[in-house]
Amino acid sequence: MSNILQEIEAQIAGVKTTTTKQNVGIVREIGDGVARIEGLADAMLNEMLDFGNGIMGLALNLEETEVGAIILGEYTQVKEGHEVRTTGKVLQVPVGKALLGRVVDTLGRPLDGKGPITAEGAYPVEKIAPGIIKRRSVSQPVQTGIMAIDAMIPIGRGQRELIIGDRSTGKTTIGIDTIISNARLNKAAAAAGDKDYRPLYSIYVAVGQKQSNIARVINVLEDAGAMPYTIIVVAAASDSATNQYLAPFAGTAMGEWFMDNGMDALIIYDDLSKHAVAYRQVSLVLKRPSGREAYPGDVFYLHSRLLERAARLNEQNGNGSLTALPIIETQLGDVSAYIPTNVISITDGQIYLETDLFYQGVRPAISVGLSVSRVGSSAQIKAMKQVAGRIKGELAQFRELAAFAQFGSDLDAATQAKLERGKRIVEVFKQNQYQPLPVENQVAVLWTVQNGFIDDVAVDQIKDFQAKLVEFLTTRKAELLGRLRVEKALNDAAIAELKAAVTEFKQTYR
């Protein structure tokens, strides 16, 4: 009784007692980057734990008698019996424009040998997504520079668009092209002194990728001059499962800083299939019960709370945006597997890449039938809406008719004409990697297609015709393209001028 009275008196006097809680624990068990700690009664979920010698951990399992923590960094230095202390802080990463042009690890530490990073602050890795009231509808386009996407599956700032397909079908290429396209737009707007243009900054998160692949991506971005607008977050295949699990959240925190400060950012997760595998590994070592395909029960929540953080904020909340392009790798085109269906249901549409199309030489190998953007033409400029409206329908119709025509039945003239038009549209949409097209060039080419100017050009000459047409317009009709870029619409005068220009080009084309 006297002990209880003493404890109450001590609390009244403002002296903190440690009879019921303690902030120091002992490592009971260690292995596979996971520690089980006894005595940390004060630990909170996702709290940073100090293992000493500069080694930090993250409390993930709060059990009755012990805490399960994942260790960030070299866990081999942690032994049984080591003291562990709570810090009262959540895991944070550095944020700000100082990270642009840099390659960093999961904790924002530089990996490129370019010296330390002077960050403008730190953001928590886990953060609650903006609510409905803070958001506004998606209406500003993300110009990917890939004509098939900008015309048929448009992406808007603040959208989440899934890129899905088998291994080696060009998924990463779509992300890299988008980064390069927007870096060029940023540069052009800065050079022209365009005050109305909002630059789009990019974050590329490599999860579980081979280091040679990551090095190739960095080289491509450097050669294209896109690195000054890009942050690369690396958790390579050789990194621990812990780093791979946390990397997308760290990249999102870096992107949220741009969004919260009234800027626009784009984040590419390459890829979330490997992210889910890393999380499964961490969960199984933490002895969390496994569910379907041995994934933990909260693997859906893992990706939903990540992707919900992509948003376009309204003007009262800064008018910034974060656009997410998650990548998912399927096995033999199986989009009905567990993780693909999860991410499809979280995102606002998907760009589905077909292996068969890829090997037929249709690159980017976008399946028009299975790909969709739930934002649609809201994320297109008016000029693109005017020229791209019918093309998706014509292409989907062509795929159906081509499958039917394989049976060798006699076709009427109208069907034959649709097949011939479809073959030419397929050729127009073929595009080399890392060569994004400005939107005004895309509009001019699609207008030419829509108005039948390519119907009498041989199919094997279409790419040559297209390249020379773009060169002709760029060198001889630069003023027209400039007007299309500024006005973003095709009025009667622009259509008349474009028709005259294409007619003039056709007379000289051989």
Side-chain angles (χ1 to χ4, degrees), residues 39-348:
L40 280 186
D42 241 3
M44 297 177 287
L45 188 67
N46 282 337
E47 184 179 4
M48 296 292 290
L49 304 177
D50 186 0
F51 285 81
N53 300 324
I55 298 169
M56 303 301 284
L58 194 64
L60 280 189
N61 271 21
L62 304 182
E63 295 164 24
E64 231 175 300
T65 57
E66 62 185 22
V67 171
I70 53 175
I71 295 167
L72 308 170
E74 193 50 63
Y75 71 88
T76 52
Q77 295 175 29
V78 179
K79 305 286 184 228
E80 288 175 18
H82 266 197
E83 274 195 356
V84 185
R85 296 173 188 275
T86 54
T87 61
K89 297 175 185 170
V90 294
L91 180 60
Q92 294 184 318
V93 288
V95 294
K97 282 193 172 181
L99 287 156
L100 291 169
R102 303 300 299 269
V103 181
V104 297
D105 69 1
T106 301
L107 299 178
R109 297 173 299 203
L111 296 173
D112 50 12
K114 294 180 182 174
I117 296 169
T118 311
E120 292 176 46
Y123 261 39
V125 164
E126 291 268 12
K127 195 171 165 216
I128 294 172
I132 291 282
I133 305 301
K134 289 184 176 179
R135 297 177 183 237
R136 63 185 296 195
S137 59
V138 174
S139 60
Q140 294 174 318
V142 171
Q143 301 293 359
T144 64
I146 301 166
M147 191 153 51
I149 294 175
D150 289 345
M152 298 186 291
I153 318 146
I155 300 170
R157 296 191 181 193
Q159 191 178 344
R160 300 153 302 172
E161 182 80 7
L162 172 64
I163 301 167
I164 184 166
D166 281 8
R167 187 164 172 241
S168 299
T169 49
K171 300 184 299 298
T172 302
T173 301
I174 287 178
I176 301 307
D177 277 352
T178 306
I179 293 175
I180 293 170
S181 170
N182 283 286
R184 287 179 182 168
L185 287 170
N186 295 349
K187 273 186 195 164
D194 187 349
K195 296 280 194 299
D196 296 328
Y197 179 77
R198 293 168 61 95
L200 188 71
Y201 301 101
S202 305
I203 299 131
Y204 176 79
V205 183
V207 182
Q209 303 291 322
K210 289 193 293 188
Q211 287 184 334
S212 58
N213 287 355
I214 298 166
R216 189 165 67 244
V217 166
I218 294 167
N219 285 340
V220 167
L221 292 176
E222 279 178 344
D223 291 346
M227 273 307 281
Y229 302 97
T230 310
I231 303 167
I232 295 181
V233 182
V234 174
S238 54
D239 285 17
S240 67
T242 304
N243 280 358
Q244 291 180 44
Y245 149 58
L246 289 170
F249 293 96
T252 306
M254 293 168 191
E256 276 177 327
W257 179 87
F258 290 99
M259 177 172 75
D260 291 345
N261 285 279
M263 291 176 269
D264 294 331
L266 164 78
I267 184 160
I268 293 157
Y269 307 107
D270 193 5
D271 63 65
L272 291 190
S273 302
K274 294 184 179 71
H275 181 231
V277 168
Y279 184 62
R280 173 169 65 183
Q281 191 176 329
V282 167
S283 296
L284 291 175
V285 174
L286 281 167
K287 294 187 169 59
R288 291 181 176 180
S290 58
R292 178 175 162 188
E293 294 175 32
Y295 286 104
D298 64 340
V299 75
F300 181 92
Y301 179 55
L302 169 81
H303 286 152
S304 67
R305 74 175 189 266
L306 174 72
L307 292 166
E308 282 297 325
R309 288 161 73 177
R312 185 178 173 208
L313 300 179
N314 57 29
E315 287 180 0
Q316 293 85 345
N317 289 283
N319 201 24
S321 75
L322 178 62
T323 309
L325 296 183
I327 292 174
I328 286 284
E329 186 179 291
T330 52
Q331 309 289 329
L332 294 173
D334 184 13
V335 289
S336 62
Y338 187 30
I339 300 301
T341 48
N342 277 357
V343 185
I344 286 170
S345 63
I346 294 163
T347 48
D348 310 312

